[in-house]
Amino acid sequence: MTKIPMTVPLVELDGDEMTRIIWQQIKDTLLLPYIDLKTEYYDLGLPERERTRDQVTVDASHAIQKYGVGVKCATITPNAQRVEEYKLSQMWKSPNGTLRAILDGTVFRAPIMVRGISPVVKNWKKPITIARHAYGDVYKNTEFKPAGPGKAELVFTAADGAETRQTIFDFQGPGVLQGMYNTDASITSFAHSCFQYALSTGQDLWFATKDTISKQYDHRFKDIFQELFDAQYKPLFEKQGITYFYTLIDDAVARVIRSEGGYIWACKNYDGDVMSDMVSTAFGSLAMMTSVLVSPDGKYEYEAAHGTVTRHYYKHLAGEETSTNPMATIFAWTGALRKRGELDGNRELANFADRLEKACIDTIESGVMTGDLAGLWEGETPARKVTTQGFLDAIAQRLDA
Ligand code: NAP
Ligand code: MG
C-alpha cells in the first residue's frame, strides 16, 4: 500500500504521562501505516522542558508560527508536588499558557458526538463550540476589602500625567471592591480568532456580553467585534453563507439551551470559563472534548481538552493494561492533518482525516469503547469495553475495511 505523502511538516508537540503513551500508540496504529508522516518534533515532556529550561516550549511555539499547524499532546503543568516528583529546578509555567501568549490565540473547545451517548439537553444534535477570551477581566483583577467607611474612587493617570477621577462608592461600612481591565489589542485579537475560526469551520458565530449593564466595558467588546465584522469579515461570511450574531448574554443562554447546536459561542473570559464546563459536562465526557488554539493571523494548534490522565499512568507503570480514551487525542491529529491538507492542497491527507474520524465514531457506535464511555452508553447493543490498544486496533480494522 502506498502511503499518503506530505509536503509541509506538522509541528508535533509530545507530552507527559498516559497521554504520551497513547500518543505513540496512535502514531504506530493509526498514522504511520497510512501516511508518510512528516513532523517537526518537539518534546514538551516535563524532563525535556527541565533540561532545556523550557526553551523547547518557546521553540515549538515559533515553529507553529512558521508552519501554521501544530498538534499537541497533554502536558503536566507543574505544581509544588510535581517540582518534587520531577526534581525540577523551578516551577515551569503552563506550556499552554506559553503557547497562547506567543501565538496570541483563542481556545475553541468542541465535543465529539456519537450516537448512543446523548447530551443531557435532548435537542442538541450538533456540537457547540465555546470560544473563551483567555485574557484579563476578573482573572487579572485587583481586589480590596475596605474595613470601614470611606470613599472608593477610580483614578486613571494618563502617560502625560493628566488625571481622571470617578467615585465608585461611598462606603458607610465594610465591604468589597475590585478593579479589572482589558485592552483593545487583546479584544481585537480575540475577535479576529473567532471570525477566522468561524470561516475555517463554516459555522455561525454568536457573541454575547452584558452590555446593557456594562455600558462601557462590555460595550467595548461588542463594538470591536461589530467594527471588525463590518470592515473586514462581512463579505466573507456572506460568501460562505454563515452569520455573525450578537445578543445579550441572558438571551444567549436561553437560545443555547433551545438550539440544536452547530455554532461557535464566543464568550468573555469568565463566561467562557463557566459555560465551557457546563456545555462540556452536558455533552457527556471530558475525554470526548477537543480543543484548538487559533491565532488572530490564522495559525492552529490542536489538542485534547483533558490532561495527562495521571491515575491511569500509574496503573500503566504498575503493568496494568488501561482503558484510557484516545478519542480527543486522535481528533487533535485529524484536525491538524486536515488543516495541513487544506493549506497544502493535499486532498488525500484531508480525506484521510475524515475517514479516520468516521472510523473512530463508527467503532464506538458499533458498541466498542473505552471504560469511561461504557458507563454512559445508551446504545442498543451492549457496550464492549476494550483497552486503549484494543480500541485503536478496532479503529484500524475499520479503516482497512
Ligand atoms: P485529567 O488528566 O484530564 O484527568 C482527570 C480525570 O478525568 C482522570 O483521572 C480520568 O478519570 C478522567 N479522564 C480524563 N481524560 C480521560 C481519558 N482520555 N480517558 C479516560 N478518562 C479520562 O486531569 P487532572 O487529573 O486534573 O490533571 C492531570 C495532569 O494533566 C496535571 O498534571 C495537569 O497539569 C495536566 N493537565 C494538562 C492539560 C493540557 O495539557 N491541556 C489540561 C488539563 C490538565 P478516572 O481517573 O476516574 O478514570
Ligand atoms: Mg472552569
Side-chain angles (χ1 to χ4, degrees), residues 49-187:
R49 277 183 274 150
E50 166 69 17
R51 195 188 68 79
T52 63
R53 307 194 59 76
D54 211 24
Q55 185 60 37
V56 65
T57 311
V58 174
D59 292 345
S61 310
H62 290 144
I64 295 173
Q65 275 177 325
K66 176 176 168 193
Y67 292 110
V69 188
V71 58
K72 179 180 171 290
C73 178
T75 47
I76 292 169
T77 298
N79 55 16
Q81 182 262 318
R82 297 298 199 167
V83 169
E84 178 80 7
E85 181 184 355
Y86 282 82
K87 306 273 175 272
L88 301 179
S89 57
Q90 53 176 287
M91 202 183 284
W92 303 110
K93 279 191 242 160
S94 147
N96 288 62
T98 303
L99 279 157
R100 211 160 52 211
I102 292 177
L103 293 168
D104 187 20
T106 297
V107 174
F108 297 81
R109 280 186 164 199
I112 303 160
M113 294 182 75
V114 294
R115 267 197 311 273
I117 296 173
S118 31
V120 174
V121 180
K122 291 296 172 208
N123 42 288
W124 286 356
K125 303 277 183 273
K126 298 177 199 160
I128 296 170
T129 303
I130 299 260
R132 172 181 172 190
H133 181 216
Y135 179 83
D137 298 354
V138 73
Y139 300 84
K140 290 280 181 199
N141 68 359
T142 307
E143 301 194 333
F144 183 67
K145 278 201 311 191
K151 185 162 82 165
E153 289 178 290
L154 195 59
V155 181
F156 177 76
T157 315
D160 67 3
E163 203 177 87
T164 54
R165 200 173 267 272
Q166 274 173 280
T167 301
I168 298 170
F169 192 61
D170 263 317
F171 282 93
Q172 302 304 314
V176 284
L177 187 63
Q178 83 174 352
M180 61 184 195
Y181 68 91
N182 222 297
T183 66
D184 282 10
S186 177
I187 302 165

Side-chain angles (χ1 to χ4, degrees), residues 132 272-274 276-277:
R132 172 181 172 190
D273 183 353
V274 177
S276 69
D277 283 356

Side-chain angles (χ1 to χ4, degrees), residues 16-17 19 22 72-79 81-82 94-96 109 285-288 291 303-312 315 323-329 370-373:
D16 290 298
E17 298 194 312
T19 40
I22 293 177
K72 179 180 171 290
C73 178
T75 47
I76 292 169
T77 298
N79 55 16
Q81 182 262 318
R82 297 298 199 167
S94 147
N96 288 62
R109 280 186 164 199
S285 166
L286 184 59
M288 298 287 275
S291 181
E303 59 177 288
H306 61 77
T308 58
V309 212
T310 311
R311 209 175 62 83
H312 295 216
K315 279 192 177 175
S323 182
T324 316
N325 190 339
M327 283 289 282
T329 306
T370 47
D372 58 310
L373 296 184

Side-chain angles (χ1 to χ4, degrees), residues 296-342:
D297 57 346
K299 315 286 188 210
Y300 295 78
E301 182 256 310
Y302 294 84
E303 59 177 288
H306 61 77
T308 58
V309 212
T310 311
R311 209 175 62 83
H312 295 216
Y313 182 58
Y314 288 128
K315 279 192 177 175
H316 166 82
L317 289 181
E320 270 181 66
E321 277 261 36
T322 72
S323 182
T324 316
N325 190 339
M327 283 289 282
T329 306
I330 298 172
F331 275 61
W333 275 101
T334 52
L337 290 168
R338 184 184 299 105
K339 181 54 74 182
R340 196 65 275 162
E342 284 168 15

